[in-house]
Amino acid sequence: MSEQAKVIVVMPAYNAAETLVDTYKRIPPNEVDRVILVDDGSIDETVAVAEDLDLELIVHPHNAGYGANQKTCYIEALRQGAEIVIMLHPDGQYDPNIIPQMITAIYEGRGDFVLGSRFLPPASALSGGMPRYKFWANRFLTTIENLVMRTHLSECHTGYRAYSRRLLETVPFLRNSNNFVFDTEMIFQSHHFGFHFAEVPVTTRYFNEASSISFWASMQYGFSTLWVAGRYLLHRLKIWQFDVFRQPK
């Protein structure tokens, strides 16, 4: 990959007015060519705050969902010629300072899919304030996913990711869910199509303004994750075929 490869940070936003400026200012300025923020029908001042920043703003006319937001992010980044796309939540939970390490992992060929892991070292997520029920749910689901894919990832549920252009042009992400399980589908699809993963440790902050789904929404997400793993197995065993794992024509 060329050292002049274009790097674009995409920020899927929903009600991030209180944290957006701080997150944006912490992005290493000399590492990124462009920042694209997609607002998914926020009901706070996210759009007004974004308009005062040096980034490109796209506004959904209504709330379409976390997965739908990412679809817009990746389509626009690819359209603008990105070779590396980094997905950073604008809620201030993840540390933008590891962006250079994520870029380097793709440059060096260690992976086309880089995850910012909160579990390197294993207990670091708790020290960052992760609720214990989320910690153990993450450990359980990640263990199941590793068993199904025969991988050894420290975490499958981070919202901090970097992708190569080749991966985004191969994986049929437009077929994915419009909700939170989109992230899980991306992992299983990437593995199915033969892409390699790399991980970079990241520190996180849990605080009132950071986005978080409710306990019941987390339960629904957990069951949806298990269903994705089940579909992956059925597809690989040729028992039942699913569009999310079919090669795009």
Side-chain angles (χ1 to χ4, degrees):
M1 182 177 293
S2 168
E3 294 184 1
Q4 302 302 315
K6 190 172 188 178
V7 178
I8 292 181
V9 169
V10 295
M11 304 176 80
Y14 180 69
N15 292 345
E18 295 187 30
T19 55
L20 173 56
V21 173
D22 177 66
T23 305
Y24 175 79
K25 288 183 176 179
R26 291 164 61 208
I27 297 173
N30 298 323
E31 301 289 337
V32 172
D33 295 289
R34 185 166 300 174
V35 177
I36 300 172
L37 183 139
V38 178
D39 179 79
D40 192 35
S42 293
I43 57 175
D44 67 357
E45 299 300 314
T46 298
V47 172
V49 172
E51 287 175 338
D52 289 332
L53 300 175
D54 185 20
L55 52 73
E56 182 170 336
L57 174 64
I58 298 172
V59 180
H60 283 177
H62 53 79
N63 181 257
Y66 174 66
N69 193 326
Q70 286 192 64
K71 292 174 187 179
T72 301
C73 287
Y74 302 142
I75 289 170
E76 185 60 22
L78 291 174
R79 190 188 70 82
Q80 295 190 23
E83 292 294 334
I84 296 175
V85 180
I86 298 167
M87 194 263 283
L88 172 65
H89 291 179
D91 63 358
Q93 186 178 116
Y94 295 100
D95 183 8
N97 287 310
I98 70 161
I99 285 176
Q101 299 173 53
M102 301 176 88
I103 295 170
T104 298
I106 294 180
Y107 274 153
E108 293 180 348
R110 285 186 276 135
D112 286 280
F113 191 150
V114 182
L115 299 114
S117 175
R118 296 168 290 184
F119 289 83
L120 292 173
S124 57
L126 287 174
S127 64
M130 177 182 280
R132 287 192 176 273
Y133 82 89
K134 289 190 175 182
F135 176 90
W136 290 114
N138 191 309
R139 296 297 77 214
F140 170 74
L141 292 172
T142 293
T143 298
I144 296 297
E145 290 163 276
N146 276 324
L147 287 172
V148 170
M149 294 186 292
R150 299 182 181 179
T151 52
H152 302 281
L153 296 171
S154 67
E155 179 182 14
C156 291
H157 299 280
T158 174
Y160 198 4
R161 292 136 179 258
Y163 302 102
S164 71
R165 182 181 187 90
R166 187 170 69 94
L167 184 148
L168 290 175
E169 288 182 331
T170 302
V171 170
F173 63 84
L174 291 177
R175 298 174 183 170
N176 291 2
S177 167
N178 286 337
N179 61 32
F180 283 97
V181 81
F182 177 96
D183 280 351
T184 300
E185 290 171 326
M186 286 293 288
I187 285 183
F188 277 97
Q189 287 170 315
S190 298
H191 186 264
H192 176 70
F193 287 108
F195 290 100
H196 296 291
F197 300 99
E199 294 185 283
V200 174
V202 62
T203 57
T204 53
R205 302 181 297 168
Y206 288 80
F207 53 99
N208 290 336
E209 291 78 14
S211 63
S212 180
I213 60 176
S214 68
F215 174 80
W216 292 112
S218 297
M219 289 289 291
Q220 183 180 11
Y221 169 76
F223 286 119
S224 296
T225 292
L226 295 176
W227 174 229
V228 174
R231 284 187 290 161
Y232 172 86
L233 278 177
L234 290 170
H235 190 94
R236 291 298 294 264
L237 295 172
K238 301 186 187 304
I239 297 172
W240 197 272
Q241 299 294 286
F242 297 91
D243 282 347
V244 293
F245 300 118
R246 293 183 191 271
Q247 183 73 42
K249 295 181 180 179

